[in-house]
């Protein structure tokens, strides 16, 4: 049947024989599902999903999909994606209506390296609203096709975030050059799994499943690769949903670090090829975050072959870090960052590229050299995004000063875990851990020590910094929420970005919401309807595994309300202002207090130290200033000031000890409006727990 005859048949009796149902976009049509064709044949395919592909394609062949109508609900731009394989390239396709008119333009078919080496190519077309029956005309052959897909080009309905760039040691708005304080979390266990984050309740042959390689291997052996891929997609579709992004925003986050495994992007069965669904989850997460005013950081958490120490599972597989010894794995990692940089070049909602997570399976010098190599790969395709040079477990000194190399928009990172794995992890639960964290965050009187040494190091090289992982609430009990907020405040005061580990953990029993013994997630599953049964992947059916994976999207969740409260806390009149919650300071430290209601106080006050607090004064006039102070000495002087001008002076009495507390009151006159008020130490030697302004 020639093309003109086909057009007549589609308009007449032959077409009326079809019994078809239309589909909406995005619509995937298998190539072998044609209603009519000329010159092609079918064969079995080894592409993901199996089945058949269309092959033996020559010039002037054609395929009609008149019995696969696609409903275009909205006129506009659409991407036509083709899944193709070609030994040598040179092919060319025209996308058209099944009858040949109209045609929507052509696309060249590149070489993929083999007849069963698959990749996805894409052309953009404009389609009218209504039901369409599409066809493919072959202008030049020499390729196979497995499927094509009609995908609406997403119309962005939210205001794009401004890009972020480097300015010395700061992250700044690229449009205004104003500093941006990034505070966020990690979406761990979503696009790369860590099974301790689900309570270790997935098992295999009597033991716990400890890494993603094991889980995927068991499912592939039992059900085949295609079903394994489908089940992994079910997990990813359900573990993180839009409600997670709503809750992140509500808990004060403005950036989300997204850890992912290399095989999310690269087709592990066909190396150097992008998966057909490669960008689905990263694109979705970037969009959902940006809709809510949150940036994203793309974190290659698991490179092919593994980059972490042999005992670690967080790069996907427990075992030796083969990335550093296998030249092919390293080349594939460079290829991966090349395609990621091409994909997100110009996407301002992406704050940074995190090249490798915890790449500690090699020495610091090798890591630095390889990281600079990856930097150059990314920069060749993306001139503007900040690129994060990964920290070694020994530090960042092997990089020298990145600025001295003439690099721009470059940052370093470290993961700080005080209280864990040798970082003063002998501190006692609760108050002991809280004071250990307080010491880590605040300088000694000479401006050095703990995190302050890192602040001085970063300032010296004038390069931005990210604390990519930290854990400021576990083991702290009732102090956890406030310490979480305080950690963000201190890191941001240094100019650092910070993303905690991690957003969500779950467990068999769930939580009743008691924050005094909270685990590692900002949120977790509720014990009221959200409990989880054990899953044995060696014996469970595919349907049972699917059901277990699907529970994550609907199980009731609880958040750490202490974290939520403190992340949204701000100084205001008529309420106590916790003295240790200063935004900026000089010379002050914090410690746990035995005063009523517990918590922390600010102390180590010496002459000319200060603490500042942003606050809105709703109306001008006289206010009662109350300050809660303690001192073993007489003669201390506390001044409430604005822009260096005294607003009120308090004489601090001898209360009989550093934790013997007394409230002192004076009257101050205040202007209306948003302003920074400071507690200035004119004469030191006292502690302060809180202060309050009450309109008279």
């Amino acid at each position: 049947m020639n093309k003109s005859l086909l057009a007549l048949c589609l308009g007449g009796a032959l077409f009326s024989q079809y019994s078809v149902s239309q589909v909406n976009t995005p619509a995937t049509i298998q190539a072998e599902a044609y209603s009519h064709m000329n010159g092609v044949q079918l064969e079995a395919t080894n592409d993901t999903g199996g089945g058949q592909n269309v092959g033996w394609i020559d010039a002037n062949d054609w395929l009609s999909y008149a019995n696969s109508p696609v409903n275009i609900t909205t006129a506009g731009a659409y991407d036509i994606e083709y899944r193709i394989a070609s030994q040598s390239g040179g092919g060319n396709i025209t996308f058209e209506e099944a009858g040949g008119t109209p045609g929507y333009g052509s696309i060249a078919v590149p070489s993929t390296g083999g007849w069963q080496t698959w990749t996805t190519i894409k052309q953009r077309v404009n389609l009218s609203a209504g039901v369409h029956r599409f066809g493919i005309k072959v202008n030049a052959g020499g390729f196979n096709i497995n499927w094509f897909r009609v995908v609406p080009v997403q119309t962005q309905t939210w205001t794009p975030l401004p890009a972020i760039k480097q300015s010395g040691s700061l992250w700044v708005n690229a449009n205004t050059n104003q500093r941006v304080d990034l505070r966020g979390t990690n979406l761990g266990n979503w696009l790369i799994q860590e099974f301790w984050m689900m309570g270790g309740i997935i098992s295999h042959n009597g033991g716990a499943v400890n890494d993603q390689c094991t889980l995927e291997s068991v499912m592939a052996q039992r059900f085949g690769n295609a079903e394994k891929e489908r089940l992994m997609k079910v997990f990813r579709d359900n573990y993180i949903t839009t409600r997670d992004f709503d809750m992140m925003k509500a808990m004060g986050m403005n950036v989300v670090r997204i850890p992912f495994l290399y095989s999310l992007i690269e087709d592990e069965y066909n190396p150097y090829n992008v998966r057909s669904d490669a960008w689905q989850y990263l694109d979705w997460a970037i969009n959902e975050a940006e809709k809510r005013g949150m940036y994203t950081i793309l974190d290659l958490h698991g490179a092919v072959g593994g980059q972490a120490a042999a005992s670690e599972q967080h790069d996907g597989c427990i075992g030796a870090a083969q990335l550093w010894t296998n030249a092919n794995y390293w080349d594939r990692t460079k290829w991966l960052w090349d395609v990621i940089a091409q994909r997100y070049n110009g996407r301002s909602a992406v704050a940074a590229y995190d090249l490798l997570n915890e790449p500690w399976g090699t020495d610091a010098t090798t890591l630095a050299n390889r990281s600079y190599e990856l930097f150059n790969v990314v920069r060749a395709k993306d001139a503007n995004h900040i690129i994060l040079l990964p920290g070694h477990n020994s530090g960042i000194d092997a990089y020298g000063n990145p600025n001295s190399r003439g690099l721009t928009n470059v940052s370093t990172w470290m993961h700080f875990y005080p209280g864990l794995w040798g970082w003063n992890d002998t501190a006692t639960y609760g108050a002991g851990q809280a004071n250990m964290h307080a010491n880590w965050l605040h300088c000694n009187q000479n401006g050095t020590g703990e995190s302050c040494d890192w602040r001085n190091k970063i300032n010296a090289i004038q390069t931005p910094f990210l604390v990519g992982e930290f854990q400021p609430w576990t083991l702290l009990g009732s102090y956890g929420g406030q310490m979480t907020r305080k950690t963000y405040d201190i890191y941001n005061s240094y100019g650092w970005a910070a993303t905690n580990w991690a957003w969500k953990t779950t467990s068999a029993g769930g939580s009743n919401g008691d924050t005094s013994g909270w685990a590692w997630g900002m949120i977790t599953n509720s014990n009221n309807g959200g409990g989880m049964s054990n899953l044995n992947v060696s014996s469970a059916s595919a349907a049972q595994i699917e059901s277990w994976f699907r529970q994550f999207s609907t199980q009731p969740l609880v958040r750490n309300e202490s974290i939520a409260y403190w992340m949204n806390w701000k100084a205001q009149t008529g309420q106590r202002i916790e003295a240790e919650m200063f935004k900026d300071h000089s010379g002050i430290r914090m410690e746990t207090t035995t005063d009523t209601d517990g918590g922390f106080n600010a102390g180590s006050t010496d002459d000319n130290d200060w603490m500042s607090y942003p606050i809105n004064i709703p109306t001008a006039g006289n206010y009662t200033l109350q300050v809660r102070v303690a001192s073993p000495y007489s003669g201390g002087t506390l001044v409430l000031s604005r822009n260096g001008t005294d607003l009120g002076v308090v004489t601090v009495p001898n209360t009989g000890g550093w934790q013997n507390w007394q409230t002192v009151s004076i009257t101050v006159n205040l202007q209306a409006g948003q302003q920074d008020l400071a507690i200035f130490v004119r004469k030191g030697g006292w502690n302060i727990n809180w202060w309050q302004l009450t309109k008279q």
Side-chain angles (χ1 to χ4, degrees):
M1 185 180 291
N2 61 31
K3 268 259 172 132
S4 59
L5 179 57
L6 173 63
L8 291 173
C9 290
L10 293 178
L14 183 59
F15 179 71
S16 67
Q17 298 173 19
Y18 299 144
S19 176
V20 297
S21 59
Q22 66 192 35
V23 295
N24 294 326
T25 58
T28 300
I29 298 175
Q30 298 298 319
E32 67 272 19
Y34 48 74
S35 59
H36 299 82
M37 65 83 181
N38 180 68
V40 303
Q41 299 181 47
L42 303 183
E43 63 180 346
T45 182
N46 65 9
D47 194 13
T48 302
Q52 294 179 303
N53 64 253
V54 172
W56 289 274
I57 299 173
D58 299 310
N60 299 317
D61 289 349
W62 51 262
L63 300 154
S64 171
Y65 297 90
N67 60 348
S68 300
V70 178
N71 181 37
I72 304 299
T73 56
T74 304
Y78 288 77
D79 285 331
I80 312 303
E81 301 175 350
Y82 306 88
R83 188 66 171 170
I84 57 94
S86 177
Q87 182 72 45
S88 57
N92 191 278
I93 297 170
T94 293
F95 189 69
E96 58 185 19
E97 296 292 327
T101 303
Y104 296 105
S106 61
I107 183 173
V109 177
S111 169
T112 66
W115 294 111
Q116 288 295 321
T117 303
W118 294 92
T119 193
T120 304
I121 61 174
K122 179 171 61 178
Q123 72 178 124
R124 184 157 294 180
V125 303
N126 285 305
L127 299 175
S128 60
V131 177
H132 292 249
R133 296 174 171 85
F134 294 115
I136 292 174
K137 176 185 175 184
V138 180
N139 305 309
F143 62 93
N144 294 338
I145 181 169
N146 191 11
W147 48 257
F148 69 92
R149 179 179 296 149
V150 183
V151 182
V153 176
Q154 186 175 35
T155 301
Q156 188 165 301
T157 58
W158 59 90
T159 302
L161 290 168
I164 290 179
K165 69 174 185 178
Q166 172 191 7
S167 179
S169 61
L170 300 177
W171 304 70
V172 301
N173 182 315
N175 297 335
T176 65
N177 220 42
Q178 291 181 322
R179 173 171 157 175
V180 178
D181 289 335
L182 294 173
R183 49 179 70 193
T185 188
N186 278 269
L187 289 183
N189 195 48
W190 178 39
L191 303 180
I192 181 169
Q193 290 177 297
E194 298 185 43
F195 296 97
W196 67 268
M197 299 181 72
M198 291 185 285
I201 60 176
I202 300 181
S203 62
H204 162 57
N205 286 339
V209 173
N210 289 322
D211 64 6
Q212 186 164 339
C213 287
T214 300
L215 176 71
E216 293 200 26
S217 176
V218 172
M219 292 197 301
Q221 289 170 12
R222 294 191 61 208
F223 310 123
N225 285 334
E227 180 66 357
K228 180 265 289 186
E229 291 289 338
R230 188 189 72 82
L231 289 171
M232 291 303 298
K233 178 175 171 60
V234 171
F235 174 81
R236 290 164 179 159
D237 288 344
N238 288 275
Y239 188 73
I240 295 294
T241 67
T242 54
R243 71 170 171 170
D244 291 279
F245 285 91
D246 288 338
M247 293 175 76
M248 275 182 264
K249 181 65 175 179
M251 291 183 80
M253 304 293 97
N254 67 1
V255 64
V256 185
R257 184 170 177 253
I258 307 175
F260 63 92
L261 186 63
Y262 81 95
S263 56
L264 183 80
I265 307 301
E266 183 184 27
D267 185 344
E268 61 183 305
Y269 313 109
N270 296 287
Y272 298 102
N273 283 277
V274 173
R275 289 172 57 108
S276 60
D277 61 351
W279 310 111
Q280 174 184 350
Y281 296 104
L282 292 183
D283 281 357
W284 176 80
I286 294 166
N287 288 342
E288 292 302 320
E290 188 176 31
K291 289 176 186 177
R292 296 161 176 82
M294 298 187 293
Y295 288 94
T296 46
I297 295 171
L298 305 186
D299 159 40
L300 180 54
H301 215 75
V304 59
Q307 77 280 0
S311 61
E312 299 288 355
Q313 44 71 45
H314 56 67
D315 60 0
C317 303
I318 296 173
Q322 299 177 59
L323 177 68
W324 310 109
T325 57
N326 186 309
N328 175 255
Y329 288 164
W330 181 249
D331 192 61
R332 285 167 63 184
T333 300
K334 292 194 293 183
W335 170 86
L336 183 67
W337 271 114
D338 179 276
V339 298
I340 294 171
Q342 290 184 63
R343 177 73 177 187
Y344 296 112
N345 180 24
R347 186 64 196 270
S348 60
V350 176
Y353 301 134
D354 195 343
L355 297 176
L356 288 169
N357 178 71
E358 297 188 0
W360 302 338
T362 189
D363 61 273
T365 300
T366 299
L367 172 60
N369 291 336
R370 293 286 189 92
S371 297
Y372 277 130
E373 190 176 346
L374 285 179
F375 181 98
N376 291 331
V377 168
V378 173
R379 193 56 85 222
K381 297 297 172 61
D382 187 331
N384 297 311
H385 270 112
I386 289 180
I387 300 173
L388 289 154
L389 301 175
H392 194 260
N393 52 8
S394 62
I396 61 173
D397 291 345
Y399 288 109
N401 187 338
N403 293 306
S404 68
R405 293 173 172 253
L407 305 181
T408 57
N409 286 333
V410 59
S411 174
T412 57
W413 66 248
M414 287 293 291
H415 296 169
F416 294 143
Y417 281 108
L420 301 162
W421 305 301
W423 292 48
N424 295 321
D425 56 0
T426 59
T428 58
Y429 184 89
Q433 284 281 331
N435 283 315
M436 182 274 302
H437 276 266
N439 290 337
W440 158 254
L441 290 173
H442 294 89
C443 303
N444 298 325
Q445 294 304 304
N446 61 5
T448 62
E450 303 285 359
S451 69
C452 304
D453 290 341
W454 277 95
R455 177 201 61 185
N456 298 338
K457 180 191 295 285
I458 297 304
N459 288 343
I461 62 174
Q462 284 294 287
T463 300
F465 194 61
L466 165 72
V467 185
E469 295 180 18
F470 63 101
Q471 176 43 261
W473 62 80
T474 188
L475 303 182
L476 274 75
S478 61
Y479 300 98
Q482 192 175 358
M483 186 56 72
T484 298
R485 167 62 183 271
K486 194 62 190 173
T487 303
Y488 281 112
D489 284 351
I490 293 295
Y491 288 164
N492 285 168
S493 74
Y494 295 165
W496 302 351
T499 50
N500 75 60
W501 192 276
W503 169 242
K504 177 194 290 186
T505 58
T506 57
S507 63
S511 170
N512 64 2
D514 181 3
T515 62
S516 64
W518 200 265
W520 276 66
M522 298 184 80
I523 66 168
T524 191
N525 55 317
S526 171
N527 66 357
N528 185 12
M532 298 163 58
S533 62
N534 291 332
L535 173 67
N536 187 334
V537 293
S538 299
S539 58
S541 67
Q544 289 171 327
I545 294 172
E546 177 176 348
S547 177
W548 200 90
F549 285 171
R550 288 190 182 279
Q551 72 181 313
F552 291 105
S553 64
T554 57
Q555 67 181 176
L557 301 173
V558 291
R559 66 180 187 176
N560 186 310
E561 291 296 341
S562 178
I563 297 175
Y565 171 81
W566 282 106
M567 288 303 299
N568 290 288
W569 179 90
K570 59 182 179 180
Q572 50 190 316
T573 61
Q575 298 181 13
R576 289 182 181 179
I577 299 167
E578 297 297 329
E580 68 278 3
M581 299 305 290
F582 44 78
K583 184 176 187 296
D584 293 302
H585 77 106
S586 176
I588 304 296
R589 295 175 66 85
M590 64 185 291
E591 63 185 354
T592 57
T593 181
T594 60
D595 194 12
T596 304
D597 297 326
F600 299 91
N601 64 255
S604 298
T605 55
D606 295 312
D607 297 358
N608 300 317
D609 289 347
W610 55 267
M611 302 159 269
S612 69
Y613 308 81
I615 185 171
N616 180 57
I617 304 301
T619 57
N622 288 334
Y623 286 76
T624 299
L625 169 65
Q626 295 174 286
V627 291
R628 185 71 166 171
V629 293
S631 176
Y633 310 115
S634 300
T637 307
L638 175 157
V639 179
L640 182 70
S641 67
R642 183 183 59 245
N643 298 329
T645 300
D646 290 1
L647 301 175
V649 179
V650 175
T651 298
V652 178
N654 182 336
T655 65
W658 293 111
Q659 290 294 321
N660 293 336
W661 295 93
Q662 184 174 327
T663 304
V664 181
S665 301
I666 64 170
T667 297
V668 296
N669 187 270
L670 301 176
Q671 298 176 1
Q674 184 66 39
Q675 52 202 279
D676 284 343
L677 296 182
I679 300 291
F680 178 72
V681 184
R682 183 155 291 158
K683 184 63 178 178
W686 42 267
N687 291 339
I688 178 171
N689 189 9
W690 52 261
W691 57 285
Q692 181 169 326
L693 292 167
T694 305
K695 186 71 167 65
Q696 293 181 356

